Amino acid sequence: MRIERLQLCHVRMPYVRPFETSLGRETSKDCILVRAWADGLTGWGESPVTAAPFYMEETVETAWPILVGFLAPRVLGRTFAHPDEVGEWLRPIRRNHLAKAGLEAAAWDIYAQSQGLPLARVLGGTRPRVAVGMSVGIEPTIDATLDRIDEWLTRGYQRIKVKIKAGLDVGLIRAIRDRFGAIPLQADANAAYTLADAPRLMLLDAFDLVMLEQPLDYDDLADHAVLSRSLRTPICLDESIHSAADARKALDLGACRIINVKAARMGGLGEARRCHALCLDRGSPAWCGGLLETGIGRAANIALASLAGFTLPADLGASGRYFHEDIIDPQVAVNADGTVDVPAGPGLGFTVVERLVDKYAVRRETLRAPAGVSGESL
Ligand code: MG
């Protein structure tokens, strides 16, 4: 594929409900959509950057100039035989993973369309549907959290993840167990604790959580390895894992037993696929997390989650859980058995609703291959 043109679009979509974690509270989704044109096809990707740098360093305002000034010029006018080459071609630019991920995902969409295959298939996915769980944010009260959980269980979601932080942990988990019994339950701290909190976190062992996600610092492996030795509950790492190599080191150190794979956090679907292969090879459980993506990013996550080594339910909700109107057609729906169908159509398998992209667009910029750039191959 020769990438001829790119369009960046900053969209801002209000959430149905605010989403709160130990990192803060968000009321709307800001991100950058990347549209690419190549060989007469159009592909879409999402850079799920946020308005503020709390989950990762990148924001809309930092990713935009990186895309315009560094990432786009590296791929425009260039011919790639496979999307993995796009990832490789962007690798010399350090980090900026969320920015890279949108561009790389658009290339995967185009590649899958060019093969006449669903994105899931070209990624190596085999499942016709994927099991999904719901991530429940921090609510004003424990009772409100319990009501939310009741709603998601009624809708069929296969497991519940709750956000915890200091002062809202053991009591919350106990209340959930008291009301809902032995449901598949996991907790995510988004790096809210330190090793000094180990005695507190050990109290969670009494509740048979499927996992405790990212209890310690966002860039840490060493302290997690220490904590892991004191906990019966498996630790899962999210924020600390930016590549398949990070996952290998974390597993080797005993920093975690489970990996939360988010393609965007790792810089793209190609690296996520390598991380999946590592986990499969090690027999380590892995699952697909999410970053409250719009339908475009969600569609790619569904495709990724169809790979066989993702043995735990994905954080993949129905479109209506997040947005009044998602920007894809059809909307993502969750079946009564807590699964999401993997689309069978070529590429993302969903149609991007441009009218809605226009409605939520805050800013756009179109970038073209400069004259004189050859279509040379890698
Ligand atoms: Mg997490």
Side-chain angles (χ1 to χ4, degrees):
M1 78 189 89
R2 181 180 190 271
I3 299 179
E4 291 134 14
R5 184 159 48 116
L6 293 168
Q7 187 179 65
L8 310 182
C9 181
H10 171 191
V11 290
R12 180 173 297 144
M13 297 168 63
Y15 288 133
V16 171
R17 293 195 195 100
F19 191 77
E20 185 171 331
T21 71
S22 64
L23 306 171
R25 180 179 169 92
E26 288 184 350
T27 56
S28 63
K29 171 75 188 170
D30 280 78
C31 71
I32 299 173
L33 303 178
V34 181
R35 189 177 189 182
W37 285 263
D39 307 342
L41 297 169
T42 295
W44 290 86
E46 176 171 338
S47 291
V49 284
T50 41
F54 294 126
Y55 173 73
M56 282 173 65
E57 303 89 330
E58 297 173 77
T59 68
V60 171
E61 297 306 325
T62 66
W64 194 278
I66 290 289
L67 276 157
V68 171
F70 298 98
L71 300 176
R74 284 188 78 80
V75 301
L76 279 166
R78 198 165 284 281
T79 299
F80 299 94
H82 189 275
D84 275 339
E85 293 178 1
V86 176
E88 277 306 306
W89 200 243
L90 298 177
R91 188 178 295 277
I93 295 166
R94 291 193 174 163
R95 292 282 182 144
N96 292 288
H97 283 178
L98 302 180
K100 288 176 181 174
L103 186 48
E104 193 245 23
W108 275 100
D109 182 18
I110 289 172
Y111 176 75
Q113 291 176 55
S114 74
Q115 304 296 304
L117 293 171
L119 176 60
R121 185 81 63 80
V122 297
L123 289 171
T126 51
R127 296 194 179 104
R129 59 194 70 83
V130 298
V132 298
M134 178 49 70
S135 175
V136 179
I138 293 171
E139 297 285 337
T141 64
I142 287 181
D143 280 345
T145 309
L146 298 178
D147 289 346
R148 285 278 98 78
I149 292 171
D150 190 44
E151 181 183 348
W152 304 125
L153 290 173
T154 303
R155 292 185 188 207
Y157 286 89
Q158 293 194 15
R159 66 104 178 101
I160 295 295
K161 165 168 131 178
V162 287
K163 298 291 187 175
I164 60 169
K165 61 181 181 180
L168 185 66
D169 42 36
V170 178
L172 172 64
I173 300 296
R174 180 180 290 117
I176 296 170
R177 282 287 183 235
D178 285 349
R179 176 147 163 202
F180 299 105
I183 59 166
L185 178 65
Q186 60 201 57
D188 183 3
N190 290 108
Y193 297 90
T194 70
L195 264 187
D197 298 308
R200 178 93 191 153
L201 295 171
M202 287 163 68
L203 297 175
L204 295 174
D205 275 344
F207 300 102
D208 290 318
L209 297 177
V210 178
M211 69 186 79
L212 173 60
E213 187 175 336
Q214 196 73 37
L216 308 182
D217 226 353
Y218 71 96
D219 57 354
D220 170 76
L221 295 181
D223 283 358
H224 279 104
V226 174
L227 178 66
S228 185
R229 291 196 283 275
S230 331
L231 287 186
R232 191 171 59 82
T233 307
I235 289 178
C236 169
L237 288 181
D238 172 351
E239 283 91 332
S240 292
I241 307 297
H242 294 269
S243 63
D246 283 352
R248 174 180 58 76
K249 292 169 195 172
L251 292 169
D252 284 350
L253 285 169
C256 67
R257 284 188 263 164
I258 302 172
I259 303 288
N260 173 339
V261 177
K262 293 179 182 171
R265 192 189 65 233
M266 296 184 173
L269 292 160
E271 190 66 15
R273 204 160 65 135
R274 285 186 283 277
C275 190
H276 164 271
L278 170 95
C279 292
L280 196 59
D281 185 50
R282 297 285 185 101
S284 302
W287 58 287
C288 280
L291 290 168
L292 306 182
E293 285 92 345
T294 74
I296 291 173
R298 194 170 309 276
N301 288 348
I302 293 169
L304 181 64
S306 73
L307 273 69
F310 291 120
T311 50
L312 295 163
D315 262 351
L316 265 172
S319 292
R321 182 259 184 267
Y322 309 96
F323 306 111
H324 298 287
E325 47 185 5
D326 205 346
I327 55 178
I328 54 167
D329 183 54
Q331 307 271 288
V332 175
V334 173
N335 302 316
D337 65 351
T339 61
V340 167
D341 294 334
V342 179
L348 292 179
F350 293 85
T351 302
V352 175
V353 183
E354 292 185 45
R355 174 182 61 82
L356 292 176
V357 174
D358 291 346
K359 176 176 174 179
Y360 295 113
V362 176
R363 177 173 34 153
R364 280 180 205 275
E365 189 163 343
T366 299
L367 307 154
R368 296 171 195 279
V373 171
S374 75
E376 91 186 75
S377 193
L378 271 176

